[in-house]
Amino acid sequence: MALLQIAEPGLAAAPHQHRLAVGIDLGTTNSLVATVASGLAKALPDADGHALLPSVVRYTEGALIVGREARAGQADDPHNTIASVKRLMGRSLADADETMRSHYQLSDGPGMVGIETRAGRKTPVEVSADILRALRERAEASLGGELTGAVITVPAYFDDAQRQATKDAARIAGLNVLRLLNEPTAAAIAYGLDNAAEGTYAVYDLGGGTFDISILKLTRGVFEVLATNGDPALGGDDFDQRLAVWLKAQAGLPAELPIEDERRILALARSTKESLSAVEQTLASVTLGDGQVIRVAVTRAQFIELTAELVSRSLRPVRKALRDAGLGPEDIKGVVMVGGSTRMPHVQSAVAALFGTAPLNNLDPDQVVALGAAMQADVLAGNRKSGSEADWLLLDVCPLSLGLETMGGLVEKIVPRNSTIPTARAQDFTTYKDGQTAMSVHVVQGEREIVSECRSLARFTLRGIPPMVAGAARIRVTFQIDADGLLSVTAREQTSGVEAHVEVKPSYGLGDGEVARMLLDAYGTGEIDAATRMLREAQVEARRLIDATEAALAADGAALLSPPERDIVQKAIFALAELLETDEGDTRKIRAATDALNTASGDFAARRMDASIKRALAGRSLETI
Amino acid sequence: MSITVTEKAARHIQKTLDKRGKGFGLRLAVKTSGCSGMAYALEFADESLPEDLVFECAGVRLLVDPRSLPYLDGTELDFVREGLNEGFKFNNPNAKAECGCGESFAV
């Protein structure tokens, strides 16, 4: 109980207004909203007592249906009933999910794919906004007031474009986004605070459509994400698909059915899967559109056999994440299970076998993410006082390395992958040519060493560098990433103070598949990259030497060299320049020619040094030196 | 119908009233707000209003308006020190639940 002080008449401090803040888990299959009331996080159910809102939106003539009712109508009105829209967030038509393409009429639009419905073209952002609005209305009805803000969770794999799309959807739905939070981090918050657990944990999140694995370190209430990995196209839906295909085969149905029947079989597969988590065998039955009745008996063993490959597929990213974090399975103190699909017994046992420990599952795996988000929202809305035991800090990581282009099209990484954010990192660069007054800064994202293989984020130019000899200017480039993962880059010339700055506005289009591809690319092509880097470095060095020698010849060549000596240096320059122009790409040859030029101009350089010392000393007595 | 103060609270109220130089007593009230529904208010009173109920306890006058009374009946006002923090505390038999932050309560 807080202690009270006596106030002057009429001035009693208004007891703090509780700011209504919620956590929202915007899932591929289901979404839900939770809040903290009287210090406890709990999910807010709808009028019928269901906490989960199916992430399905149905567009009918002039009306909009969201959730359970929309899902029920999926089979009757497949083209206007949008499910799993999260798979399309921040994507263009080109990188849209194959399954989504077969289910909906997709069209390309500026920045993002669109879905053709009876109510017109809907972007994934708008469909998500309709789901979020339903959750906001539910929360406001049950809490009795307007929401101050919400924390919305996103898969750890979501890139800037997908996060931005999620934020846009929330804004359209009339929500103030306090923060986007990685789903596994939210789950860890729910477990970390409720159970006061410390140590290194893994969060295994097998949702409806996505799989995420995160390695988190919890120490004294501080959460740090050590590594994230995952499979953007693996989830409970895939288990349903496998079972549906098998059910069709067992029932002697053709592989291709009318879309309404496909949906019926898929719904049957889902309910069969769910019941097999509790019982050893079940009878799956459904009536098709033409009145045909399907009856298939399924045992848990059969289901496990059908889907074992999916479970083992999920273990690959787990091992990768462990490797990224520099840990072995034995270093993990516990595994948090998230997502309804982790209820499947064979998923539980596979995870237990890998880590050698029974997974944590004492919170509802469907709700744990929303509960953690609600706790974070409660803190961010200012409902908990600083200094209390719940005053915790949250650290997150950036999914891909950030860097900039240097001479020769190479990438200099400034912020390595998995750096905790918010962060600021700086590195000094210099000019490449004498008298260079401008520098172009090209910000890239990715793991490769070559610019053309990374994703370009932004370009800007720093102008007004005072003319100096090459290498004398000191240009400090600072990368700053805020808590939402948004990047700003500043370049500043240290001696003159000239500065240029850019806010990186993420554009839609880089799918998580592309993130995954870029990561895989980097793993597989390390050697090629290293060779390319050596070649480019040799080329840059050669050009720098040519420039410097030519400048020196122009200044002192006539005074210090005899015509034959001069000729030798000129020839060496010519030989090297020719080699560069023919673009042979032979690192060894370029190095040899560079060395030849160095040798040829060695005497000249020594003479220049002597001459400049003589000039400096001329007319001065020994004592004054 | 009663509201009481502990000896420690009475001493502190008297001291702050003396320091203030004026004041008829102390007003206790309940306002509907806060996360659990209701919150306490504690103010100096320079005069009593006609509808106020006035309790005298340990030498201090406690004023309560009739709307707040049902929620405060039986309350004992205490003065406590918790670490570096000191202040008044309502020991209210009507409060069934308090919010996590402790600034409000429900009956």
Side-chain angles (χ1 to χ4, degrees):
Chain A
M1 185 74 210
L3 300 179
L4 283 128
Q5 308 299 328
I6 310 173
E8 285 299 313
L11 291 179
H16 75 86
Q17 288 290 316
H18 184 67
R19 296 183 186 89
L20 300 175
V22 294
I24 293 179
D25 177 3
L26 183 60
T28 309
T29 317
N30 290 302
S31 298
L32 79 160
V33 58
T35 194
V36 173
S38 301
L40 269 180
K42 60 167 194 246
L44 298 171
D46 63 10
D48 300 328
H50 298 292
L52 291 181
L53 177 78
S55 304
V56 183
V57 182
R58 181 176 175 191
Y59 295 95
T60 62
E61 296 297 345
L64 175 71
I65 305 165
V66 181
R68 217 157 288 275
E69 208 186 317
R71 192 175 67 185
Q74 212 170 6
D76 307 323
D77 191 12
H79 289 305
N80 298 301
T81 309
I82 317 295
S84 298
V85 73
K86 194 173 172 183
R87 285 182 185 274
L88 294 176
M89 286 295 267
R91 300 288 187 88
S92 61
L93 181 62
D95 53 17
D97 189 272
E98 203 46 54
T99 327
M100 295 300 283
R101 262 199 242 201
S102 65
H103 282 177
Y104 303 107
Q105 291 162 332
L106 302 183
S107 64
D108 216 354
M112 210 193 290
V113 65
I115 306 157
E116 299 300 334
T117 71
R118 197 182 288 125
R121 184 176 181 275
K122 293 283 171 188
T123 66
V125 168
E126 289 169 284
V127 180
S128 300
D130 288 331
I131 299 167
L132 287 171
R133 194 178 296 114
L135 292 171
R136 179 178 69 105
E137 281 161 8
R138 181 199 287 189
E140 289 185 343
S142 94
L143 298 174
E146 205 168 303
L147 299 181
T148 307
V151 166
I152 299 175
T153 60
V154 290
Y157 247 69
F158 260 28
D159 66 2
D160 283 356
Q162 291 164 304
R163 282 166 202 265
Q164 197 59 50
T166 307
K167 264 191 171 175
D168 290 350
R171 211 176 46 234
I172 295 169
L175 284 165
N176 169 32
V177 181
L178 297 167
R179 183 172 296 183
L180 296 180
L181 187 62
N182 281 341
E183 286 159 9
T185 312
I189 289 172
Y191 269 103
L193 288 185
D194 287 0
N195 305 352
E198 298 204 343
T200 306
Y201 284 80
V203 180
Y204 181 100
D205 179 354
L206 190 58
T210 51
F211 170 66
D212 282 316
I213 178 77
S214 301
I215 311 295
L216 305 165
K217 199 170 153 192
L218 275 65
T219 30
R220 293 193 57 79
V222 176
F223 296 88
E224 190 182 356
V225 184
L226 294 180
T228 64
N229 212 308
D231 187 333
L234 177 66
D237 296 351
D238 297 295
F239 288 76
D240 299 345
Q241 289 279 4
R242 289 275 167 105
L243 188 56
V245 168
W246 184 82
L247 285 173
K248 276 192 286 186
Q250 292 294 307
L253 292 168
E256 294 281 326
L257 288 174
I259 193 156
E260 288 78 9
D261 282 345
E262 287 285 348
R263 295 289 174 89
R264 286 194 185 99
I265 297 281
L266 210 52
L268 173 67
R270 181 170 50 228
S271 61
T272 307
K273 172 191 75 176
E274 283 167 7
S275 55
L276 283 175
S277 286
V279 298
E280 283 294 333
Q281 61 175 6
T282 183
L283 184 71
S285 81
V286 72
T287 312
L288 295 184
D290 57 6
Q292 192 186 347
V293 179
I294 305 297
R295 262 185 243 280
V296 181
V298 195
T299 67
R300 187 189 285 174
Q302 280 168 326
F303 177 62
I304 289 174
E305 197 189 313
L306 282 171
T307 55
E309 188 265 336
L310 294 173
V311 177
S312 61
R313 218 169 97 195
S314 78
L315 299 180
R316 259 170 266 157
V318 174
R319 294 194 193 95
K320 254 185 229 162
L322 281 170
R323 206 159 57 226
D324 279 356
L327 298 170
E330 67 282 357
D331 298 316
I332 303 299
K333 206 174 144 192
V335 189
V336 175
M337 298 302 257
V338 181
S341 305
T342 61
R343 288 204 182 90
M344 284 184 274
H346 61 309
V347 172
Q348 297 258 355
S349 58
V351 171
L354 177 68
F355 287 99
T357 169
L360 291 171
N361 48 15
N362 52 327
L363 293 179
D364 183 336
D366 280 323
Q367 295 189 359
V368 59
V369 166
L371 297 180
M375 289 167 161
Q376 176 81 350
D378 196 44
V379 173
L380 290 174
N383 286 335
R384 290 194 204 194
K385 294 193 177 142
S386 61
S388 70
E389 84 288 349
D391 181 25
W392 30 263
L393 187 71
L394 182 63
L395 297 176
D396 228 329
V397 297
C398 63
L400 290 169
S401 298
L402 295 162
L404 48 81
E405 176 175 356
T406 59
M407 286 306 295
L410 298 178
V411 178
E412 185 71 34
K413 284 174 192 163
I414 310 282
V415 183
R417 188 159 85 87
N418 282 336
S419 295
T420 53
I421 55 173
T423 187
R425 294 203 189 201
Q427 193 160 325
D428 283 350
F429 291 86
T430 188
T431 46
Y432 169 80
K433 282 204 168 189
D434 289 348
Q436 181 180 340
T437 56
M439 189 168 102
S440 162
V441 179
H442 182 199
V443 184
V444 295
Q445 181 177 37
E447 303 313 307
R448 298 289 295 267
E449 304 245 4
I450 305 149
V451 167
S452 54
E453 299 293 326
C454 289
R455 179 177 159 85
S456 167
L457 290 180
R459 276 174 203 275
F460 66 102
T461 307
L462 174 66
R463 291 180 201 284
I465 303 171
M468 282 181 254
V469 292
R474 287 224 335 274
I475 294 148
R476 171 154 298 180
V477 179
T478 310
F479 277 56
Q480 225 168 340
I481 310 176
D482 69 12
D484 285 326
L486 298 175
L487 171 71
S488 68
V489 180
T490 310
R492 182 188 163 89
E493 204 288 308
Q494 299 288 80
T495 53
S496 61
V498 292
E499 199 175 271
H501 176 85
V502 70
E503 299 267 344
V504 177
K505 299 228 165 39
S507 52
Y508 293 139
L510 182 64
D512 41 13
E514 199 166 343
V515 175
R517 185 188 59 74
M518 287 165 84
L519 284 173
L520 283 175
D521 275 4
Y523 287 132
T525 55
E527 260 172 52
I528 305 170
D529 275 7
T532 312
R533 173 173 275 268
M534 285 210 300
L535 173 65
R536 295 282 171 85
E537 276 172 357
Q539 286 167 338
V540 169
E541 172 61 17
R543 283 200 193 98
R544 192 197 59 76
L545 186 64
I546 292 172
D547 284 354
T549 317
E550 275 177 341
L553 279 178
D556 297 321
L560 298 174
L561 294 175
S562 67
E565 283 170 331
R566 206 176 155 161
D567 209 35
I568 292 172
V569 177
Q570 290 279 25
K571 270 193 183 138
I573 291 177
F574 185 74
L576 183 56
E578 202 178 40
L579 196 59
L580 287 178
E581 261 157 45
T582 52
D583 197 26
E584 248 189 76
D586 189 328
T587 311
R588 237 163 13 104
K589 275 192 194 161
I590 293 170
R591 285 232 174 110
T594 307
D595 288 345
L597 175 57
N598 257 324
T599 319
S601 61
D603 274 353
F604 177 42
R607 274 183 229 172
R608 289 192 79 208
M609 187 80 84
D610 286 349
S612 68
I613 290 171
K614 265 185 211 147
R615 267 202 300 275
L617 298 183
R620 300 166 83 181
S621 72
L622 218 68
E623 285 77 38
T624 62
I625 297 170
Chain B
M1 290 278 165
S2 79
I3 289 179
T4 56
V5 292
T6 63
E7 206 179 305
K8 222 169 147 193
R11 219 168 31 236
H12 193 81
I13 295 165
Q14 202 58 60
K15 209 166 71 193
T16 46
L17 276 171
D18 288 349
K19 208 155 54 179
R20 190 168 173 264
K22 58 172 182 174
F24 177 76
L26 198 65
R27 176 177 299 283
L28 278 61
V30 163
K31 294 181 176 176
T32 51
S33 79
C35 33
S36 282
M38 278 176 270
Y40 301 110
L42 200 56
E43 293 175 0
F44 292 114
D46 288 329
E47 54 187 3
S48 75
L49 302 173
E51 72 268 21
D52 280 342
L53 282 104
V54 182
F55 299 90
E56 288 235 19
C57 180
V60 294
R61 275 191 288 266
L62 305 169
L63 286 67
V64 181
D65 68 88
R67 270 177 306 130
S68 296
L69 192 62
Y71 304 111
L72 288 175
D73 188 26
T75 294
E76 179 195 57
L77 186 64
D78 195 8
F79 186 79
V80 294
R81 185 187 297 269
E82 284 176 3
L84 295 172
N85 196 6
E86 58 176 18
F88 291 95
K89 190 172 176 170
F90 284 77
N91 293 322
N92 186 350
N94 303 301
K96 294 271 187 312
E98 284 175 358
C99 73
C101 52
E103 283 190 24
S104 64
F105 67 99
V107 293

